[in-house]
Structure formats: C-alpha cells, structure tokens
Amino acid sequence: KAGVTQTPRYLIKTRGQQVTLSCSPISGHRSVSWYQQTPGQGLQFLFEYFSETQRNKGNFPGRFSGRQFSNSRSEMNVSTLELGDSALYLCASSLAKTGSNTEAFFGQGTRLTVV
Amino acid sequence: AQKITQTQPGMFVQEKEAVTLDCTYDTSDPSYGLFWYKQPSSGEMIFLIYQGSYDQQNATEGRYSLNFQKARKSANLVISASQLGDSAMYFCAMREAVSGGYNKLIFGAGTRLAVHP
C-alpha cells in the first residue's frame, strides 16, 4: 500500500513568487492536513481538508490556501512568498471522519526555500 | 497556550539500552489521541505509536511502548534495546476530538535522541 506522497521534495523560489505543493494521501484516506515546520516555530498546523471541504484552519495569513480534489489529493498554495515562508511543509493523511481514534500518517515533506 | 510539553531537548543513550522520552499534555477534552513520531534528518515524519484516551492498556508497537498515565496527563515513549538507527528527533502530538479538532495535531517541541555505540 503506497504511503503519503508529496511533490516536489525540494523547491527554491524567489520572494514575491507563488508556489503550489501537492499531497496524495494513502488510498482510502479522505482527510488531509498540512503543517509547516520551522526551526523557530516548530510544527504548526495550517489547515485540514475532508471530502473537499476545509474543516479547520490554523493561524496563518490568507496568503496560505489549500484545496482538496474529489480523489482526496490536496494542494496548498502560498502566494507572495516571504523569506519567512522557508520551511518544511508536511502533509498528513488520515482515515477517520471524526474523532481521535485513528492514526495520521505523514509524507516526506516539501522543503521550500525562499531567496 | 502550549498543550504538549517535551521537557528534554536532547537525550543520549547507549546502544541496546532502554530510553524514556517524556511528554505531558493538557486538555479538557475527555476524548483525545496521543501520538509519537520519529523524524530523521531526512525530514519524514514516521508514525511510531498511538494511544487513545479511552484505551485501557498502554499501547505497544515492537520496541516502542507508550507509558500512559492519564491522571498525570503523561504519555512517555519508551524505546527498548536502542539501535543506532533510532537517532532522530522525536515528537509527541495530541489530537482533540471536540472543537473541530478532527485531524489537527498539536506538537511538542521535540526531543533529539542520540544513540551511542
């Protein structure tokens, strides 16, 4: 069974540009959540999608957005990139619709560098 | 307010010995889940073990066990017979069922484990 796939693995972008990251969850998983990891702030929740609907959003500016497709694949977009957006972006997939009794599995992450 | 606390920024252990990584949490939700993840230098977050708040027994997965003390709000990870490949960053995380928690994980700051031969 394939795991969570994130593409691309590495990205280098210039300030002011925009970027789109992709996440394909484990087959059958309908929940995808996104996290930003930086040395200073640690792991922070960005947003979560289930059945193409955003259910939860973290405390990030509107430049960070996402969507989920009917096949559960998800994309996140960051517009007008800033140096501080340099981070490892991780997505996690999970089976459950609600509740806390299921595992969440992560992809390998996309390392974004903004120069 | 921070809900997951990992008080050990770094830990050292000799190969083949056991090690305990500490994690305390804070929640008012009676239904929650606790997770431990391993993150090697490659960056991937590897799921290790899960404990539900209503689980009666401590979770175990191979060499990993979770010492769940609900009253103390503690969820320590125990790694038995450490191996060199266990050297990595370890994160404790919590998911709450209410307040739209769904699959939103709150992470601790992590503990860097170094296994010495």
Side-chain angles (χ1 to χ4, degrees):
Chain A
K1 194 173 189 182
V4 181
T5 303
Q6 289 188 247
T7 55
R9 290 291 310 280
Y10 302 93
L11 266 178
I12 299 176
K13 289 286 188 179
T14 304
R15 267 184 306 173
Q17 287 186 315
Q18 74 166 16
V19 67
T20 299
L21 312 182
S22 178
C23 173
S24 294
I26 292 170
S27 178
H29 285 195
R30 295 164 65 189
S31 168
V32 174
S33 50
W34 289 88
Y35 297 82
Q36 181 196 64
Q37 185 178 24
T38 60
Q41 299 298 317
L43 280 148
Q44 293 184 288
F45 172 79
L46 280 156
F47 29 65
E48 188 236 357
Y49 287 87
F50 181 86
S51 292
E52 303 178 62
T53 300
Q54 186 183 91
R55 293 200 296 192
N56 215 336
K57 192 178 191 317
N59 188 26
F60 279 82
R63 300 185 296 107
F64 291 81
S65 63
R67 60 178 175 169
Q68 186 179 35
F69 302 96
S70 58
N71 62 357
S72 294
R73 188 177 71 87
S74 177
E75 290 181 347
M76 69 162 281
N77 183 275
V78 188
S79 62
T80 319
L81 283 166
E82 301 176 359
L83 295 179
D85 297 333
S86 295
L88 178 66
Y89 290 88
L90 293 157
C91 87
S93 85
S94 184
L95 179 62
K97 178 180 179 180
T98 60
S100 60
N101 58 342
T102 57
E103 300 93 339
F105 298 92
F106 282 80
Q108 291 183 301
T110 294
R111 194 170 295 278
L112 171 65
T113 302
V114 182
V115 297
Chain B
Q2 186 174 356
K3 296 186 177 182
I4 295 286
T5 303
Q6 294 181 254
T7 58
Q8 307 152 314
M11 288 282 287
F12 296 90
V13 66
Q14 289 292 125
E15 194 178 7
K16 299 181 184 178
E17 291 186 347
V19 63
T20 298
L21 307 183
D22 295 341
C23 173
T24 57
Y25 61 92
D26 184 29
T27 181
S28 56
D29 187 350
S31 178
Y32 53 90
L34 295 159
F35 302 75
W36 277 93
Y37 290 89
K38 170 185 177 182
Q39 188 177 44
S41 56
S42 62
E44 181 181 7
M45 294 286 279
I46 301 169
F47 168 77
L48 295 178
I49 197 165
Y50 167 84
Q51 179 85 40
S53 58
Y54 294 119
D55 293 342
Q56 295 297 312
Q57 293 187 323
N58 287 343
T60 60
E61 291 284 351
R63 295 187 299 111
Y64 305 105
S65 60
L66 199 152
N67 184 1
F68 182 46
Q69 299 188 42
K70 195 170 182 176
R72 299 175 65 178
K73 294 187 175 179
S74 167
N76 298 340
L77 176 70
V78 180
I79 305 175
S80 63
S82 297
Q83 302 172 355
L84 296 178
D86 294 335
S87 294
M89 197 75 172
Y90 289 80
F91 290 96
C92 178
M94 179 175 68
R95 178 171 63 198
E96 295 172 316
V98 298
S99 65
Y102 298 114
N103 293 312
K104 171 184 177 180
L105 296 178
I106 305 298
F107 284 87
T111 296
R112 183 168 299 282
L113 176 67
V115 180
H116 293 174

